[in-house]
Coordinates of all heavy atoms in Angstrom, one line a residue:
M7 N -1.4 15.7 -4.8 CA -2.2 15.4 -6.0 C -1.7 16.0 -7.3 O -2.4 16.6 -8.0 CB -3.6 15.8 -5.8 CG -4.3 14.9 -4.7 SD -4.1 13.2 -5.1 CE -5.6 12.5 -4.7
V8 N -0.4 15.8 -7.7 CA 0.0 16.2 -9.0 C 1.3 15.5 -9.4 O 2.1 15.2 -8.5 CB 0.3 17.8 -9.1 CG1 0.8 18.2 -10.4 CG2 -1.0 18.5 -8.8
P23 N -13.1 7.3 -20.8 CA -13.3 7.4 -19.3 C -14.1 6.2 -18.8 O -14.9 5.6 -19.5 CB -14.0 8.7 -19.1 CG -14.7 9.0 -20.4 CD -13.8 8.3 -21.5
D30 N -15.0 11.9 -24.3 CA -15.0 13.2 -23.9 C -14.0 14.0 -24.7 O -13.5 13.5 -25.6 CB -14.8 13.4 -22.4 CG -13.4 12.9 -21.9 OD1 -12.6 12.7 -22.7 OD2 -13.3 12.8 -20.7
F32 N -11.0 14.5 -24.2 CA -9.7 13.9 -24.2 C -9.7 12.6 -25.0 O -8.6 12.0 -25.2 CB -9.3 13.6 -22.8 CG -8.8 14.8 -22.0 CD1 -9.7 15.6 -21.3 CD2 -7.5 15.2 -22.0 CE1 -9.3 16.7 -20.6 CE2 -7.1 16.3 -21.3 CZ -8.0 17.0 -20.6
Y107 N -4.3 6.2 -16.6 CA -5.2 7.4 -16.9 C -6.5 7.2 -16.1 O -7.2 6.2 -16.2 CB -5.4 7.4 -18.4 CG -6.5 8.4 -18.8 CD1 -6.2 9.8 -18.7 CD2 -7.7 8.0 -19.3 CE1 -7.2 10.7 -19.1 CE2 -8.7 8.9 -19.7 CZ -8.4 10.3 -19.6 OH -9.4 11.2 -20.0
L108 N -6.8 8.3 -15.3 CA -8.0 8.3 -14.5 C -8.7 9.6 -14.7 O -8.1 10.6 -14.8 CB -7.7 8.0 -13.0 CG -7.1 6.7 -12.6 CD1 -6.7 6.7 -11.2 CD2 -8.1 5.6 -12.9
V109 N -10.1 9.5 -14.7 CA -10.9 10.7 -14.6 C -11.5 10.7 -13.3 O -12.3 9.7 -12.9 CB -12.0 10.7 -15.7 CG1 -12.9 11.9 -15.6 CG2 -11.4 10.6 -17.1
L110 N -11.2 11.6 -12.4 CA -11.7 11.7 -11.0 C -12.4 13.1 -10.8 O -11.7 14.1 -11.0 CB -10.5 11.5 -10.0 CG -9.7 10.2 -10.1 CD1 -8.5 10.3 -9.3 CD2 -10.6 9.0 -9.8
N111 N -13.6 13.0 -10.5 CA -14.4 14.3 -10.3 C -14.3 15.2 -11.5 O -14.2 16.4 -11.4 CB -13.9 15.0 -9.0 CG -14.2 14.2 -7.8 OD1 -15.2 13.5 -7.7 ND2 -13.3 14.3 -6.8
G112 N -14.3 14.6 -12.7 CA -14.3 15.4 -13.9 C -12.9 15.9 -14.3 O -12.7 16.5 -15.4
K113 N -11.8 15.6 -13.6 CA -10.5 16.0 -13.9 C -9.7 14.8 -14.5 O -9.9 13.7 -14.1 CB -9.8 16.6 -12.7 CG -10.4 17.8 -12.2 CD -9.4 18.7 -11.5 CE -10.1 20.0 -11.0 NZ -9.6 21.1 -11.7
H114 N -8.8 15.1 -15.4 CA -8.0 14.0 -16.1 C -6.6 14.0 -15.6 O -5.9 15.0 -15.6 CB -8.1 14.3 -17.6 CG -9.4 14.5 -18.1 ND1 -10.1 15.7 -18.0 CD2 -10.3 13.6 -18.7 CE1 -11.3 15.5 -18.6 NE2 -11.4 14.3 -19.0
Y115 N -6.2 12.7 -15.2 CA -4.8 12.6 -14.6 C -4.1 11.4 -15.2 O -4.7 10.4 -15.6 CB -5.0 12.3 -13.1 CG -5.6 13.4 -12.3 CD1 -7.0 13.2 -11.9 CD2 -5.0 14.5 -12.0 CE1 -7.6 14.2 -11.2 CE2 -5.6 15.5 -11.2 CZ -6.9 15.3 -10.8 OH -7.5 16.3 -10.1
L116 N -2.8 11.5 -15.2 CA -1.9 10.3 -15.5 C -1.1 10.1 -14.2 O -0.4 11.0 -13.7 CB -0.9 10.7 -16.6 CG -1.4 10.8 -18.0 CD1 -0.3 11.1 -19.0 CD2 -2.1 9.5 -18.5
Y117 N -1.2 8.9 -13.7 CA -0.4 8.5 -12.6 C 0.8 7.6 -13.1 O 0.6 6.8 -14.0 CB -1.2 7.7 -11.6 CG -2.2 8.5 -10.8 CD1 -3.4 8.9 -11.4 CD2 -1.9 9.0 -9.5 CE1 -4.3 9.6 -10.7 CE2 -2.8 9.8 -8.8 CZ -4.0 10.1 -9.4 OH -4.9 10.9 -8.7
R130 N 1.8 12.3 -10.2 CA 0.5 12.5 -10.9 C 0.6 13.7 -11.8 O 1.0 14.8 -11.4 CB -0.6 12.7 -9.9 CG -2.0 12.8 -10.6 CD -3.1 13.3 -9.7 NE -2.9 14.7 -9.5 CZ -3.6 15.4 -8.5 NH1 -4.4 14.7 -7.7 NH2 -3.4 16.7 -8.4
V131 N 0.2 13.6 -13.1 CA 0.2 14.7 -14.1 C -1.3 15.1 -14.2 O -2.1 14.3 -14.5 CB 0.7 14.2 -15.4 CG1 0.6 15.4 -16.4 CG2 2.1 13.7 -15.3
N132 N -1.5 16.3 -13.9 CA -2.9 16.9 -14.0 C -3.0 17.4 -15.5 O -2.5 18.4 -15.8 CB -3.1 18.0 -13.1 CG -4.5 18.6 -13.1 OD1 -5.2 18.4 -14.1 ND2 -4.9 19.3 -12.1
L133 N -3.7 16.7 -16.3 CA -3.9 17.0 -17.7 C -4.7 18.2 -18.0 O -4.7 18.8 -19.1 CB -4.4 15.8 -18.5 CG -3.6 14.6 -18.5 CD1 -4.3 13.4 -19.1 CD2 -2.2 14.8 -19.1
D134 N -5.5 18.7 -17.0 CA -6.3 19.9 -17.1 C -5.5 21.2 -16.7 O -6.0 22.3 -16.9 CB -7.6 19.7 -16.3 CG -8.4 18.6 -16.8 OD1 -8.6 18.5 -18.0 OD2 -8.8 17.8 -15.9
E135 N -4.4 21.0 -16.1 CA -3.6 22.2 -15.5 C -2.8 22.8 -16.6 O -1.9 22.1 -17.2 CB -2.7 21.7 -14.4 CG -1.9 22.8 -13.7 CD -2.8 23.9 -13.2 OE1 -3.6 23.7 -12.2 OE2 -2.7 25.1 -13.7
S136 N -3.0 24.1 -16.9 CA -2.2 24.8 -17.9 C -0.9 25.4 -17.3 O 0.0 25.6 -18.1 CB -3.1 25.9 -18.6 OG -3.5 26.8 -17.6

Side-chain angles (χ1 to χ4, degrees):
M7 293 307 219
V8 177
D30 65 11
F32 284 88
Y107 168 69
L108 295 174
V109 178
L110 302 171
N111 296 323
K113 296 204 179 249
H114 304 83
Y115 301 102
L116 290 177
Y117 287 83
R130 184 190 76 191
V131 179
N132 182 342
L133 299 172
D134 298 312
E135 180 59 62
S136 59

